[in-house]
Amino acid sequence: MTVNMTKGQAISLQKNDGGSLTAVRMGLGWQAAPRRGLFGSRTREIDLDASAVLFADKQPVDVVFFRHLVSDDGSVRHTGDNLVGGVGQGGDDEAILVDLSRVPVHIDQIVFTVNSFTGQTFQEVQNAFCRLVDETNGQELARYTLAGGGAFTAQIMAKVHRVGPGWSMTALGNPANGRTFQDLMPAILPVL
């Protein structure tokens, strides 16, 4: 059963049987919003990029994004860059796979961001979401839908963080500005 998350909501990543999830996929989807022009409506391609920044004690230690597809330890993997979005018409346009059982013990938070590499604002994006899927069986666990557009070029979407022996996910949905994850670091640090 999917949990439709609201900003700031957290969910445990424990399975119903008490076990822990071992592998999850953070999927990102979006579509270009139609724009009215002199000659009717049209859409412009939007290049959004998903990134995962791995933190140890509030210090960034690794990142996975379209130019570094696998974390140094191999526990986090980006499936590849999508330059236009809307391919799945509701499915994942970009995804980051996290093998929770292989994440080194010193990594305590993984923050997922999305940014417009080409600089378009979220006013030009519609149907944007991130979702967490149990990678072992394909079951969607949680979905956070980006409501409304906005004059910003990035979003700090969610974080997966250690809670005791397990993991939790928190929907963040914080708007930010930047073309890359490096630009977003000042907006990420306050949510750690």
Side-chain angles (χ1 to χ4, degrees):
M1 181 174 89
T2 298
V3 174
N4 287 313
M5 300 184 74
T6 57
K7 184 175 180 168
Q9 183 179 3
I11 61 165
S12 171
L13 299 186
Q14 294 290 112
K15 290 185 174 184
N16 291 337
D17 64 7
S20 294
L21 290 170
T22 56
V24 295
R25 172 173 21 109
M26 180 65 71
L28 168 67
W30 74 93
Q31 294 174 327
R35 295 185 343 183
R36 295 193 149 231
L38 199 53
F39 302 105
S41 291
R42 64 181 194 276
T43 59
R44 181 174 156 199
E45 292 178 347
I46 306 279
D47 179 13
L48 296 184
D49 292 319
S51 302
V53 185
L54 289 70
F55 288 88
D57 196 28
K58 298 188 179 186
Q59 296 299 313
V61 294
D62 202 355
V63 65
V64 173
F65 69 116
F66 70 93
R67 289 189 180 146
H68 185 243
L69 294 176
V70 180
S71 63
D72 294 339
D73 59 53
S75 66
V76 181
R77 184 172 53 91
H78 196 297
T79 60
D81 196 13
N82 179 321
L83 302 177
V84 297
V87 172
Q89 299 298 317
D92 299 337
D93 294 310
E94 290 195 11
I96 297 175
L97 307 172
V98 181
D99 185 342
L100 295 169
S101 63
R102 289 184 54 208
V103 174
V105 69
H106 70 284
I107 303 294
D108 55 10
Q109 297 186 68
I110 303 171
V111 177
F112 297 93
T113 66
V114 57
N115 54 274
S116 172
F117 188 72
T118 48
Q120 290 116 324
T121 68
F122 276 76
Q123 292 169 329
E124 299 178 61
V125 176
Q126 67 181 12
N127 302 325
F129 66 87
C130 72
R131 68 186 191 130
L132 192 71
V133 176
D134 181 343
E135 194 60 15
T136 61
N137 63 16
Q139 179 184 4
E140 183 175 289
L141 304 169
R143 177 178 288 256
Y144 177 65
T145 302
L146 174 63
F152 48 88
T153 59
Q155 183 95 198
I156 313 303
M157 294 295 281
K159 70 177 178 177
V160 173
H161 48 99
R162 291 187 191 270
V163 176
W167 293 86
S168 286
M169 175 189 167
T170 301
L172 299 169
N174 293 348
N177 283 297
R179 294 180 55 240
T180 66
F181 75 89
Q182 294 102 322
D183 299 337
L184 303 179
M185 291 307 288
I188 294 172
L189 295 176
V191 302
L192 298 178

